[in-house]
Amino acid sequence: MDNYTYTPYENPFEENKRPGFLTFLCVLTFIGSGLSLLSNLFSPLVAPMTLEVLKGTTWGSVPGMLDTYEQIMATPVWQFYLLAFFCATSILGAVYMLKMKKIGFHIYAISQLVQLFIGQFLIGDNFKPTLFSLFITLLFIGLYFIYYKKMTALEVEQEPLDSEQ
């Protein structure tokens, strides 16, 4: 009788050992994308109330403040929900990277780049990407890419090895 043993390519306990800085990056992504997700979900609902409050305060005299909230109110809600979807996919990508899966990097990078430029096309001139937001996006993608080679494919196939008889 032939005996086939299945052994992973590497030690499974060392292969997926997650670096501490990668965990830190993922936590920052959870915080940043999570807050953006909440913001995009609730901005269309809160903007009318905020606009009324601002009109009665000195904050309403800040140049462009009232215009920004009026533009938010004029924007269709589905556009904010589309941005919220990409925030959620960023979180999903970070979850996969936390599990040391390469697909997470691709999901994260694509969703971050889409978020960077989609706001300008959907909402308008007040939401153009700034140099700072471009820098932060590219910095995080670059930092995640450092760990890309340590990540594994979504499913690692294992080949049977002939045992000595």
Side-chain angles (χ1 to χ4, degrees):
M1 175 183 230
D2 291 330
N3 290 329
Y4 291 99
T5 58
Y6 295 93
T7 56
Y9 295 113
E10 295 178 27
N11 183 345
F13 297 107
E14 291 181 17
E15 173 186 342
N16 289 334
K17 187 169 174 112
R18 185 176 54 242
F21 190 68
L22 178 62
T23 303
F24 177 70
L25 288 173
C26 289
V27 168
L28 289 179
T29 297
F30 294 147
I31 293 169
S33 293
L35 290 174
S36 294
L37 173 67
L38 292 174
S39 173
N40 284 310
L41 287 175
F42 294 113
S43 285
L45 306 172
V46 176
M49 294 179 284
T50 307
L51 184 61
E52 291 303 315
V53 170
L54 286 176
K55 285 181 178 178
T57 65
T58 57
W59 285 100
S61 62
V62 174
M65 181 80 76
L66 295 177
D67 294 337
T68 300
Y69 280 95
E70 288 172 353
Q71 189 171 11
I72 289 172
M73 288 175 41
T75 303
V77 175
W78 69 267
Q79 293 177 352
F80 285 100
Y81 292 157
L82 182 62
L83 287 169
F85 168 77
F86 285 109
C87 291
T89 57
S90 291
I91 294 170
L92 177 66
V95 167
Y96 275 119
M97 286 189 285
L98 202 57
K99 294 180 179 184
M100 298 300 291
K101 301 297 179 189
K102 287 183 177 185
I103 190 72
F105 172 78
H106 300 290
I107 293 170
Y108 175 82
I110 290 169
S111 65
Q112 284 296 308
L113 292 172
V114 167
Q115 283 180 70
L116 191 62
F117 297 106
I118 200 170
Q120 150 182 5
F121 297 114
L122 292 179
I123 301 173
D125 291 337
N126 288 344
F127 295 93
K128 287 185 179 178
T130 63
L131 190 58
F132 179 74
S133 62
L134 178 64
F135 171 75
I136 293 296
T137 299
L138 294 178
L139 176 68
F140 268 72
I141 290 172
L143 290 172
Y144 278 128
F145 186 72
I146 292 171
Y147 298 104
Y148 183 77
K149 288 185 179 183
K150 293 183 179 186
M151 297 179 193
T152 60
L154 195 55
E155 291 182 3
V156 177
E157 295 181 20
Q158 299 174 356
E159 296 178 11
L161 297 175
D162 290 328
S163 63
E164 295 180 32
Q165 296 180 5

